[in-house]
Amino acid sequence: MIVILKQHPETEKVNQLLHQLEEWGLSHHYSQGTLTTIIGLIGDTSKVDVDMLQANDIVETVKRVSEPYKAANRKFHPEDTVIDFGNVKIGGGHFGVIAGPCSVETPEQVIAVAKAVKQSGANFLRGGAFKPRTSPYAFQGLRAEGLELLMEARKETGLPIVSEIMSLEHLDLFADVDFIQVGARNMQNFELLKQLGHSGKPILLKRGLANTLEEFLMSAEYIMAGGNENVVLCERGIRTFETMTRNTLDISAIPMLKHLSHLPVIVDPSHATGIPWLVEPLSKAAIAAGADGVMIEVHNDPKKALCDGAQSLTPAQFDDTMKTVKRYMQFEEKIFG
Ligand code: PEP
Ligand code: MN
């Protein structure tokens, strides 16, 4: 980090600033030119409060030259992180296919979809029990009962389950959920992230609707700073001016995140596009760009789905998509789970 001082700073104030930096555990390199004075900070600057430095009246500007995230940073952890779910893994060449309905609706629905997606090669079952809906009048999910039904489906199929948590109050209900999703709308719910940091559970963190990759990685950092390193990042499309698709899938996010971080990156082409026939081509693109998995919405009867039916694949469409996914995986030398 570089701190550029205003012209002719008072010596006493400079000394106070240097002392403050030392108290923060940082060494410095002080360089006084004829017009500009620059202080180079040496050490771990990830915990430095840039705003506090900026507020100092002798400081002109503060520039970060290294990333503000540390635990998630590949520089400090060059090998790919592999998240281990027991008999399934994600990351480091292990590919995860998460499939299932947007929301858990009935025992018959979730069991039927679970069996079908397993048959086609999925290695995780997804299903929302607590749903973040734009309208308060829309189906909000079966809540605790939905989680129970997912657990039933896990018993039937052996597939580990993924479900979204929306509130800290529900943490206990998720004790037996294998992979806890933090949805796009909660990517910056920092209190939730902090608590999940103490949970030790694998967390599927989705990118916010309008968040930068640095903000995304800082949210992962919140979870990891609490001691939970089991984080999988999910690119699910962002808001742009384009209206043909529900969101715009940011394909470049995949190699960029993998370059910046050691965490696995998966892609959700269902929410990214909102259009079933785009799920297959964008799954191919995701694999080619280096993704460690995909998450796809599948419903046994999309026309009657209580949430996101318009973007859900039928089990038959998912089966076709999986044939292509498997071919692309082979080409990229990924292995299932
Ligand atoms: C979901 O996975 O069902 C969901 C609500 O996703 P997102 O948070 O990406 O909108
Ligand atoms: Mn959905």
Side-chain angles (χ1 to χ4, degrees):
M1 187 179 286
I2 292 168
V3 180
I4 301 167
L5 301 187
K6 289 183 181 153
Q7 279 187 5
H8 317 301
E10 282 174 41
T11 313
E12 197 191 323
K13 288 190 176 174
V14 173
N15 288 338
Q16 276 169 2
L17 175 60
L18 296 178
H19 183 66
Q20 185 179 32
L21 296 173
E22 279 159 22
E23 279 192 338
W24 289 348
L26 298 165
S27 322
H28 52 259
H29 179 266
Y30 190 80
S31 148
Q32 188 161 16
T34 34
L35 289 175
T36 317
T37 307
I38 294 174
I39 309 172
L41 308 193
I42 304 155
D44 177 9
T45 56
S46 54
K47 293 190 182 142
V48 170
D49 187 336
V50 174
D51 292 339
M52 194 192 273
L53 276 181
Q54 193 81 64
N56 190 312
D57 60 11
I58 60 164
V59 171
E60 177 71 40
T61 177
V62 181
K63 286 199 165 77
R64 272 199 182 277
V65 287
S66 61
E67 302 80 11
Y69 47 89
K70 195 165 180 229
N73 199 326
R74 197 182 272 282
K75 276 187 195 151
F76 305 109
H77 186 302
E79 307 81 36
D80 285 342
T81 281
V82 180
I83 313 285
D84 196 342
F85 297 85
N87 43 12
V88 188
K89 294 190 175 87
I90 297 186
H94 300 269
F95 197 80
V97 177
I98 304 169
C102 181
S103 335
V104 177
E105 297 169 7
T106 63
E108 297 73 30
Q109 171 239 21
V110 70
I111 302 277
V113 176
K115 285 184 174 164
V117 297
K118 180 177 179 176
Q119 182 74 31
S120 303
N123 42 25
F124 290 85
L125 172 66
R126 65 151 284 149
F130 293 89
K131 293 304 304 175
R133 305 303 300 276
T134 302
S135 165
Y137 310 116
F139 177 59
Q140 303 286 305
L142 294 183
R143 304 171 69 84
E145 190 197 336
L147 294 177
E148 292 295 328
L149 295 181
L150 275 177
M151 289 173 209
E152 283 295 314
R154 175 176 60 194
K155 217 185 284 169
E156 287 274 329
T157 58
L159 291 177
I161 53 175
V162 184
S163 202
E164 175 170 352
I165 190 166
M166 295 213 299
S167 165
L168 273 179
E169 283 170 31
H170 304 145
L171 203 52
D172 289 347
L173 293 172
F174 282 75
D176 203 19
V177 171
D178 304 286
F179 198 5
I180 302 180
Q181 176 173 324
V182 175
R185 290 151 193 85
N186 271 309
M187 189 205 88
Q188 287 190 314
N189 182 340
F190 300 120
E191 285 302 317
L192 181 61
L193 301 178
K194 277 191 235 173
Q195 286 305 319
L196 293 172
H198 299 305
S199 76
K201 285 259 175 195
I203 308 297
L204 178 60
L205 180 65
K206 299 187 88 173
R207 181 179 181 183
L209 281 75
N211 284 110
T212 65
L213 295 182
E214 185 161 293
E215 287 164 342
F216 192 16
L217 289 168
M218 288 307 285
S219 290
E221 189 78 10
Y222 258 92
I223 301 169
M224 299 176 89
N228 184 359
E229 309 227 311
N230 300 315
V231 181
V232 174
L233 304 169
C234 178
E235 163 59 37
R236 45 78 73 207
I238 47 173
R239 286 260 164 102
T240 69
F241 49 80
E242 183 53 68
T243 55
M244 287 286 178
T245 48
R246 184 175 178 184
N247 291 288
T248 297
L249 183 63
D250 182 4
I251 282 287
S252 58
I254 306 159
M256 185 57 90
L257 287 169
K258 291 188 67 77
H259 173 75
L260 297 170
S261 175
H262 51 89
L263 296 173
V265 178
I266 72 160
V267 168
D268 173 351
S270 300
H271 290 88
T273 62
I275 299 173
W277 64 266
L278 283 176
V279 169
E280 181 172 319
L282 292 187
S283 299
K284 292 196 253 183
I287 301 167
D292 299 292
V294 285
M295 175 150 89
I296 296 175
E297 283 189 344
V298 181
H299 196 285
N300 53 336
D301 190 357
K303 288 185 296 301
K304 297 211 177 107
L306 297 178
C307 183
D308 284 351
Q311 71 192 29
S312 298
L313 303 190
T314 62
Q317 287 169 325
F318 178 68
D319 196 61
D320 284 345
T321 301
M322 281 303 290
K323 290 192 177 103
T324 309
V325 164
K326 285 174 193 163
R327 277 206 332 269
Y328 274 64
M329 277 173 59
Q330 254 173 9
F331 186 71
E332 294 289 330
E333 295 177 350
K334 305 272 188 194
I335 54 169
F336 262 114

